[in-house]
């Protein structure tokens, strides 16, 4: 594929390539169509490579629905163009996090948080160059709620719930009321009673990973590097 890079460079065409994934940049749609056809002929006839017809198309690099490169997309705002994770990458990651925190798996809550930590550290390690601060803050609140839901289910019996709420500082009357509630797991996980008892600090002590902070550290290193 180095031959293709050199060929495009000799023609003054900007190319971004990683392995077999290629982005060829053009100033207009007309020029892009022409370059795409030229590239296709060179790759198929000269280098004897097979082109993926579905992926080989002319699109705006700002069209997130159609443009995706190595899991990334581009966006545009007042300050200019920025990098963001493609929405498919976000959906895939959130689906994985949902699986890791499924309340039906029966693992210890600390182990669940460790599994989430391992996954999210790797994911952010790859995508930290993208602008996604607000997305991660939203995920953080969502994951904390899922962990409260997970812990609540592990307590199982109303008597156990009452006892644990009292241990966490909830008054006896409130502990009895909430320990015997018929609210669903997800709904109770969003209630103030669990925010006051299973606090963010207690989750952190149990091993919950503050991944937005990791993202900010990596972003600063990247911007300052």
């Amino acid at each position: 594929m180095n031959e293709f890079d050199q060929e495009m460079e000799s023609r003054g065409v900007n190319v971004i390539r990683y392995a077999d994934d290629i982005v060829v940049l053009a100033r207009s749609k007309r020029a892009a169509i022409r370059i795409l056809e030229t590239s296709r002929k060179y790759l198929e006839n000269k280098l004897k490579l097979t082109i993926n017809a579905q992926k080989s198309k002319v699109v705006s690099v700002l069209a997130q629905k159609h443009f995706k490169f190595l899991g990334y997309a581009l966006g545009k705002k007042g300050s200019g163009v920025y990098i963001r994770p493609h929405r498919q990458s976000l959906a895939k990651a959130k689906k994985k996090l949902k699986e890791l925190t499924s309340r039906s798996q029966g693992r210890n809550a600390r182990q669940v948080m460790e599994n989430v930590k391992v996954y999210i550290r790797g994911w952010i390690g790859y995508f930290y160059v993208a602008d996604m601060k607000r997305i991660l803050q939203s995920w953080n609140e969502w994951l904390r709620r899922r962990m409260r839901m997970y812990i609540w289910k592990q307590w199982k019996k109303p008597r156990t719930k009452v006892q644990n709420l009292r241990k966490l500082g909830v008054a006896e009357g409130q502990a009895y009321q909430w320990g015997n509630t018929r609210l669903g797991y997800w709904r109770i996980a969003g209630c103030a009673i669990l925010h006051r008892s299973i606090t963010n600090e207690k989750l952190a002590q149990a091993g919950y990973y503050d991944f937005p902070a990791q993202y900010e550290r990596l972003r600063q290193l990247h911007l300052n590097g």
Side-chain angles (χ1 to χ4, degrees):
M1 291 294 286
N2 289 332
E3 297 94 327
F4 176 78
D5 298 343
Q6 294 167 4
E7 178 67 19
M8 292 297 106
E9 183 179 359
S10 70
R11 301 184 186 200
V13 177
N14 292 320
V15 175
I16 303 170
R17 181 174 68 82
Y18 181 82
D20 294 337
D21 289 322
I22 305 170
V23 175
V24 181
L25 303 175
R27 294 182 178 274
S28 67
K29 184 176 181 179
R30 184 177 178 181
I33 293 172
R34 185 177 67 251
I35 293 171
L36 176 60
E37 181 60 19
T38 300
S39 300
R40 185 189 64 78
K41 289 180 178 178
Y42 186 85
L43 290 167
E44 290 185 340
N45 299 336
K46 182 76 173 179
L47 300 183
K48 307 302 180 183
L49 297 174
T50 301
I51 306 301
N52 186 322
Q54 289 185 329
K55 292 177 66 176
S56 302
K57 54 191 174 182
V58 173
V59 298
S60 167
V61 293
L62 298 177
Q64 186 179 181
K65 183 178 180 181
H66 301 290
F67 179 77
K68 177 185 177 185
F69 185 66
L70 303 180
Y72 289 96
L74 297 177
K76 190 174 184 180
K77 53 186 177 181
S79 57
V81 176
Y82 65 97
I83 303 171
R84 57 184 174 184
H86 192 274
R87 59 184 183 179
Q88 290 179 2
S89 302
L90 293 171
K92 183 178 179 181
K94 196 165 186 181
K95 180 181 178 182
K96 179 63 176 179
L97 290 170
K98 193 171 183 178
E99 291 172 357
L100 289 172
T101 54
S102 170
R103 65 176 187 264
S104 62
Q105 59 186 300
R107 290 191 177 92
N108 180 276
R110 292 177 183 271
Q111 183 59 56
V112 172
M113 286 188 273
E114 178 62 24
N115 293 343
V116 169
K117 177 181 177 179
V118 170
Y119 176 77
I120 200 70
R121 282 184 68 177
W123 192 85
I124 291 176
Y126 179 79
F127 281 103
Y128 73 89
V129 296
D131 189 338
M132 55 179 180
K133 181 178 180 178
R134 290 184 180 178
I135 291 171
L136 294 185
Q137 288 173 342
S138 173
W139 283 12
N140 202 26
E141 293 306 310
W142 172 74
L143 274 173
R144 282 184 176 133
R145 184 171 176 177
R146 286 191 65 82
M147 286 311 308
R148 290 186 176 99
M149 177 181 67
Y150 191 92
I151 293 168
W152 185 252
K153 186 186 178 185
Q154 283 205 320
W155 289 351
K156 295 182 180 179
K157 297 180 180 180
R159 183 175 63 181
T160 306
K161 293 174 181 177
V162 173
Q163 290 174 345
N164 286 333
L165 286 173
R166 290 182 62 189
K167 288 178 182 177
L168 292 170
V170 178
E172 185 172 352
Q174 277 195 318
Y176 181 83
Q177 177 188 352
W178 286 101
N180 288 277
T181 183
R182 295 191 177 186
L183 291 177
Y185 293 114
W186 181 246
R187 189 172 175 187
I188 188 69
C191 289
I193 192 70
L194 287 196
H195 281 262
R196 294 202 311 268
S197 53
I198 308 174
T199 63
N200 291 347
E201 291 73 19
K202 285 185 170 63
L203 285 175
Q205 290 170 8
Y208 184 85
Y209 184 55
D210 186 10
F211 55 90
Q214 180 209 3
Y215 167 73
E216 291 294 337
R217 287 193 295 270
L218 291 175
R219 286 282 288 177
Q220 286 302 315
L221 290 172
H222 174 68
L223 295 173
N224 296 334

